[in-house]
Amino acid sequence: MKKRFHFQAVAFVFLLMISGCANNRGTGSDLFSDLKDPRSKILFDFDWKFQRGDVDSAMTPEFDDSSWRELDLPHDWSIEDIPGTDSPLDPAAVGGIDMGYFRGGTGWYRKTFDLPAGLEGKRFFLLFEGVYMDSDVWINGEHTGSHPYGYTSFWFDITDHLNFGKENAVAVRVRNEGRNSRWYSGSGIYRHVWLTVTEPVHVNTWGTSITTPVIGEDEATVLVSNEITNHSGEDAALLVTTRIIDPEGQEIAMSQMEALAGPSGSADVQQELTIPSPQRWSPATPVLYTAVTEIEDPRSGLVDRVENRFGIRSIAFTTEGFLLNGEKILLKGGCVHHDNGLLGAAAYDRAEERRVEIMKASGFNSIRCAHNPPSPAFLAACDRMGIMVIDEAFDMWRREKNPQDYHRFFDEWWKKDIESMVRRDRNHPAIIMWSTGNEIPERADPEGVETSGMLAAFVRQLDPTRPVTSAVNGLNPDKDPYFATLDVAGYNYAFGGDHGKESIFEIDHKRVPGRIMYCSESFPLTAFGAWMDVLDHPYVVGDYVWTGFDYLGEASIGWLGYPHEGSFYPWNHAYCGDIDICGLKRPQSFYRNVLWDAGQKLSIFVQPPEPTFRVNPDRADWSKWHWQDVVDRWNWEGHEGEPLKVEIYCAHEKVELFLNGSSLGVRETNRGNEWIARWSIPYTPGTLKAVAYRGDKEAETSELTTAAAPEAVRLDADRSRINANGQDLSYVLVELVDQNGNRNRTAENLVEFEIEGPGSILAVGSSNPVSTESFRQPRRKAYQGRCMVVVKAGHDTGTIRLRATADGLPVAAVIIESE
């Protein structure tokens, strides 16, 4: 029996630069100075006031907020220093180890703006991409609405709450109270806020749907649906025109049709267009088109115009594998939480893009967004770079995992939050599955099965073009009814079937041969077996390691592990990611390159003579989120002559190891030894060099060199030119190097920073998982010879100069142009 789910879809990136979209800042009428087009989307991130802690009457327009701090969004107060200290960490924080010992609490935001007279006929929509959590919004003292869930976007029509020709006030209360998360959530308005201004007749928020019922080699049929609302109070006879623009900017298809929207009514308009010789979206060719829809009213002319970038592709999940555009592809996946490391939860567009960029460069072709919908910027980056996505809704339903988590709101809000996720994201070509939940506590009970069926049915109603999945642990036959409600089964920790052992996948395939499976979470330590399951069994369509990118909170699961007994402070990183919180590859990422035969296929690591950190003698055998305690370092002063264990990850046929030019022998690397060659070598300073061979030909080399004492600070900006938009970022890697430019991996110097020009230091940090240092002060101790600075652009163009100083070393500088 073969099971097959086939889907064809196209998808937009996000509502991008809608005609008239402004990026104004200020609190006066200049926000609305460019309203020349029927629709304007205004970035509402600048010039807010903020107060940490609860405040009485802060929602009233006349409230005096002059003593409050001024800031721009996105903003996360949990990553900031606790008032009166130089650290964001508190060993007594309510969230404890789950939150990484960062504090939550209550905070208030306020923003005032002048709304010119003469705009009374317009409609105004205020959209929040993400607020963590339990937020309430007031406009001019009137409660506009609330939104409990911290991860879904929400919006309000605020037209009737505004004062035209006067000052207006927005107030937002955010309550991140109690124990409500199993990982670092951050606190505050951590994603963008947008104010959209339209005519009375307009396309609804998230009202555009784009699908492809037919995709062929010669042409593709594109179905563009728009929900149009009429607030004019009278019948509106409309002309709706949709054009398709190819990647080169040429119009390649056009459709026109008439529509009638009754007074205070709506119209659903569907238009079918044919695209000749379609270029299909894929990881290798993430081609994006643009759909432009214009709505005209014969009485007043153009009343709305929306642009959506989209991609064409088909997906099919079968027991013979996952097919993208008809071709089998293995899902090389990583789970990713929402935080941006040094920035906390703040979702700057460049930070989101950079994470996707790094994942792609590390060999991943898919990301599971755990355990909540991501930011629009993150999905847009996945669309542009060709990363396939599992978009996940919840970490719990009715039964709690923490006392104050989302279970309190589930019955009232699940439908609204699912609708927010699917309607906002349904057209992204990157998204290949919807997930309704992760490790749901009631998954084995009739109640949970019924709820799963209810959620899955609602998702399919909103979007029938993709399968529904869920990530399940406790993999026993009692989960069969739960899995039966899904299209594709997500297996958490199925344990790779290595060394001849039968895996859970094999056992379940014999029992339920029609089930399509993938490993929705795998341990780093079982990377080999997990990937062999994918290679050996076509019904296992991919593997998603926990995690692709490291994160704050759930502290130390990648070292001390589970169970969590007592305090693990000062641990604050999870320390389980292939990529660390600075975006740097960790050892398991290099090993995954070997398994996937991608990128760097040869690397050397050394086991320290003493553990890197204090070990946990009580770590459970099943707790395998760690990796081997190895480092890419050949500096071991005081251990001369002592044997050190060396591991070489090699995707080639064999590898030869040299110490200071002398061969230490040749080892084969293959599936039998998991592509790892091992040596025990008495430590001698110098150069450790590995040479890999395919046949008798040298294929690749890798070296570790003993570094001398640091003699310089080296700065390397990932982007030397950034946009002067008040939000763009450049990540500057700081390294302590010797006279030959070798990074000294034992260096822990304190590095201090100064900045000049139209930019600021947004954050500093390092990969040290136990550091309690500030992420905001202009200084940081190096860890393994490096740390990082994040520079943020201002609104003016010019030259930004970042300087770094460390005692006894010359001043270093890097130039970043803000344009």
Side-chain angles (χ1 to χ4, degrees):
M1 173 184 176
K2 295 182 180 179
K3 191 172 183 180
R4 182 181 181 95
F5 291 93
H6 187 268
F7 306 86
Q8 290 184 325
V10 294
F12 73 170
V13 176
F14 59 105
L15 212 51
L16 176 70
M17 292 301 292
I18 296 175
S19 182
C21 176
N23 190 352
N24 297 330
R25 72 187 297 256
T27 58
S29 59
D30 61 322
L31 273 173
F32 306 96
S33 60
D34 294 330
L35 301 189
K36 300 174 184 177
D37 296 292
R39 174 184 290 256
S40 293
K41 187 180 179 186
I42 301 168
L43 184 61
F44 217 53
D45 285 355
F46 302 109
D47 301 307
W48 288 75
K49 295 288 193 74
F50 171 71
Q51 178 66 33
R52 190 167 179 168
D54 206 357
V55 181
D56 291 335
S57 304
M59 73 287 291
T60 61
E62 62 276 7
F63 181 84
D64 181 7
D65 59 15
S66 59
S67 64
W68 287 20
R69 174 181 160 202
E70 296 182 4
L71 54 74
D72 297 332
L73 307 177
H75 174 243
D76 170 15
W77 78 71
S78 289
I79 200 69
E80 297 176 341
D81 294 346
I82 297 168
T85 77
D86 292 324
S87 173
L89 300 176
D90 176 3
V94 173
I97 194 170
D98 290 343
M99 268 284 286
Y101 303 101
F102 294 86
R103 285 186 181 179
T106 293
W108 280 86
Y109 298 84
R110 285 174 54 89
K111 179 178 173 67
T112 57
F113 62 97
D114 295 329
L115 186 60
L119 298 179
E120 286 84 350
K122 302 279 190 179
R123 305 299 299 185
F124 295 79
F125 303 91
L126 188 62
L127 184 146
F128 296 83
E129 290 186 357
V131 182
Y132 200 89
M133 59 172 287
D134 199 6
S135 58
D136 288 271
V137 179
W138 290 265
I139 307 293
N140 295 321
E142 297 179 358
H143 188 251
T144 310
S146 61
H147 192 79
Y149 195 31
Y151 297 113
T152 47
S153 300
F154 59 100
W155 57 273
F156 305 108
D157 182 343
I158 64 172
T159 308
D160 296 338
H161 298 284
L162 296 174
N163 297 321
F164 295 88
K166 299 179 182 179
E167 185 179 75
N168 290 262
V170 180
V172 182
R173 181 181 63 195
V174 183
R175 291 179 289 187
N176 180 8
E177 298 288 355
R179 291 174 51 216
N180 58 62
S181 180
R182 296 190 302 114
W183 58 85
Y184 178 87
S185 63
S187 304
I189 308 177
Y190 68 99
R191 294 178 184 164
H192 294 310
V193 179
W194 298 91
L195 180 65
T196 300
V197 186
T198 73
E199 297 295 330
V201 177
H202 56 267
V203 176
N204 291 343
T205 302
W206 309 328
T208 300
S209 170
I210 307 176
T211 61
T212 49
V214 179
I215 302 175
E217 291 298 324
D218 298 327
E219 62 182 30
T221 301
V222 180
L223 188 64
V224 181
S225 302
N226 282 288
E227 300 170 2
I228 301 171
T229 294
N230 177 14
H231 282 286
S232 69
E234 54 188 18
D235 286 334
L238 307 172
L239 179 65
V240 182
T241 304
T242 294
R243 296 178 173 86
I244 304 298
I245 311 300
D246 70 13
E248 287 72 43
Q250 302 299 311
E251 181 180 318
I252 56 173
M254 189 268 283
S255 172
Q256 281 188 328
M257 67 179 298
E258 296 179 347
L260 179 65
S264 302
S266 62
D268 292 334
V269 178
Q270 292 190 350
Q271 293 171 283
E272 186 176 290
L273 302 97
T274 300
I275 295 180
S277 303
Q279 301 178 60
R280 303 189 191 190
W281 183 96
S282 73
T285 58
V287 177
L288 297 171
Y289 293 82
T290 304
V292 181
T293 297
E294 294 181 332
I295 304 172
E296 296 176 88
D297 186 327
R299 298 166 298 180
S300 54
L302 186 66
V303 295
D304 204 359
R305 184 177 190 272
V306 294
E307 294 186 10
N308 296 295
R309 295 173 66 188
F310 68 93
I312 303 170
R313 57 98 180 104
S314 66
I315 57 175
F317 287 84
T318 81
T319 52
E320 295 302 315
F322 166 67
L323 305 179
L324 179 68
N325 299 322
E327 297 183 2
K328 184 174 178 179
I329 186 170
L330 304 179
L331 296 174
K332 300 174 180 178
C335 300
V336 173
H337 271 313
H338 72 297
D339 77 80
N340 275 304
L342 320 186
L343 310 185
Y348 287 87
D349 287 6
R350 172 55 190 162
E352 301 286 76
E353 177 185 67
R354 179 175 178 264
R355 278 197 295 158
V356 178
E357 214 170 67
I358 291 170
M359 293 281 285
K360 177 91 173 186
S362 297
F364 293 93
N365 65 17
S366 188
I367 290 172
R368 173 177 169 237
C369 295
H371 303 292
N372 46 263
S375 73
F378 188 89
L379 291 176
C382 292
D383 286 344
R384 291 194 303 273
M385 294 183 219
I387 292 286
M388 296 171 284
V389 174
I390 301 174
D391 201 347
E392 191 157 83
F394 306 120
D395 189 46
M396 78 293 296
W397 298 340
R398 291 188 179 92
R399 294 188 191 174
E400 69 182 62
K401 292 184 178 179
N402 275 298
Q404 284 78 41
D405 65 22
Y406 182 77
H407 82 279
R408 298 178 294 153
F409 309 108
F410 179 81
D411 280 327
E412 181 180 355
W413 282 91
W414 74 265
K415 201 166 191 177
K416 300 171 189 175
D417 288 320
I418 288 282
E419 189 170 23
S420 171
M421 177 182 77
V422 176
R423 282 175 58 85
R424 189 197 72 174
D425 299 345
R426 60 187 163 177
N427 299 317
H428 283 279
I431 297 174
I432 58 171
M433 284 190 277
W434 303 110
S435 173
T436 55
N438 171 68
E439 298 183 351
I440 299 302
E442 58 265 45
R443 62 197 177 280
D445 299 336
E447 175 198 350
V449 173
E450 181 181 0
T451 303
S452 180
M454 177 179 69
L455 267 63
F458 187 58
V459 171
R460 295 185 191 107
Q461 175 187 329
L462 294 171
D463 175 28
T465 71
R466 295 177 180 85
V468 179
T469 187
S470 181
V472 178
N473 63 338
L475 297 166
N476 296 305
D478 63 350
K479 310 305 185 304
D480 285 352
Y482 185 93
F483 278 130
T485 67
L486 307 171
D487 302 314
V488 182
Y491 278 44
N492 280 9
Y493 308 110
F495 298 98
D498 53 324
H499 303 300
K501 296 179 183 177
E502 191 174 46
S503 72
I504 295 175
F505 292 119
E506 293 174 278
I507 295 169
D508 279 9
H509 180 64
K510 291 176 181 178
R511 291 193 311 104
V512 192
R515 182 178 294 170
I516 304 163
M517 298 175 268
Y518 67 102
C519 192
S520 40
E521 291 182 23
S522 63
F523 293 116
L525 204 59
T526 63
F528 171 78
W531 191 242
M532 295 308 101
D533 279 336
V534 176
L535 293 181
D536 294 344
H537 310 304
Y539 48 85
V540 182
V541 299
D543 171 54
Y544 291 78
V545 64
W546 189 269
T547 57
F549 222 102
D550 206 23
Y551 56 101
L552 301 174
E554 202 170 10
S556 80
I557 69 162
W559 184 266
L560 297 176
Y562 277 95
H564 289 163
E565 299 290 345
S567 174
F568 287 176
Y569 184 85
W571 279 89
N572 52 86
H573 302 190
Y575 203 63
C576 60
D578 273 24
I579 313 298
D580 71 26
I581 71 161
C582 289
L584 305 171
K585 286 171 72 75
R586 298 181 64 228
Q588 60 258 46
S589 180
F590 290 95
Y591 181 63
R592 207 170 302 280
N593 284 152
V594 169
L595 290 178
W596 290 343
D597 199 19
Q600 182 178 335
K601 302 172 187 177
L602 177 69
S603 53
I604 310 172
F605 291 93
V606 181
Q607 182 176 317
E610 298 173 358
T612 301
F613 304 102
R614 177 185 66 84
V615 299
N616 178 11
D618 299 320
R619 184 176 65 198
D621 291 341
W622 54 263
S623 181
K624 299 179 181 180
W625 287 278
H626 56 286
W627 186 247
Q628 310 295 346
D629 184 12
V630 293
V631 293
D632 58 343
R633 165 181 157 193
W634 198 241
N635 276 68
W636 303 103
E637 184 178 356
H639 295 279
E640 289 78 3
E642 295 181 19
L644 297 179
K645 294 180 180 179
V646 176
E647 293 188 352
I648 298 181
Y649 310 149
C650 180
H652 306 285
E653 294 173 3
K654 55 188 176 182
V655 60
E656 186 172 10
L657 186 62
F658 296 84
L659 177 59
N660 296 329
S662 298
S663 176
L664 302 177
V666 178
R667 304 275 196 276
E668 292 185 352
T669 47
N670 48 48
R671 180 166 177 164
N673 58 19
E674 303 182 7
W675 291 280
I676 302 176
R678 294 178 170 87
W679 276 264
S680 180
I681 303 170
Y683 173 63
T684 301
T687 298
L688 200 59
K689 181 178 180 179
V691 179
Y693 302 94
R694 286 192 183 271
D696 294 327
K697 294 183 179 180
E698 182 177 310
E700 193 171 346
T701 65
S702 182
E703 292 185 1
L704 296 181
T705 298
T706 305
E711 294 197 7
V713 179
R714 183 167 61 201
L715 303 181
D716 183 16
D718 72 333
R719 300 164 77 224
S720 60
R721 296 182 181 275
I722 57 179
N723 296 317
N725 59 7
Q727 297 213 341
D728 205 5
L729 308 177
S730 179
Y731 284 74
V732 181
L733 181 63
V734 182
E735 295 182 296
L736 300 172
V737 298
D738 67 12
Q739 72 276 12
N740 296 317
N742 298 310
R743 171 166 57 97
N744 188 308
R745 288 160 168 80
T746 67
E748 297 183 347
N749 306 50
L750 177 67
V751 186
E752 300 194 83
F753 306 101
E754 295 179 350
I755 195 165
E756 294 178 357
S760 60
I761 295 174
L762 178 63
V764 299
S766 75
S767 306
N768 186 350
V770 296
S771 172
T772 62
E773 297 166 274
S774 170
F775 290 93
R776 292 293 178 262
Q777 301 298 323
R779 63 188 64 87
R780 191 75 176 197
K781 288 183 66 177
Y783 176 71
Q784 296 181 345
R786 57 191 176 188
C787 57
M788 182 164 282
V789 184
V790 184
V791 173
K792 184 177 79 164
H795 293 271
D796 298 323
T797 60
T799 299
I800 301 169
R801 180 176 286 102
L802 177 71
R803 290 189 179 90
T805 59
D807 284 349
L809 302 180
V811 176
V814 66
I815 299 297
I816 300 166
E817 296 295 336
S818 183
E819 302 173 330

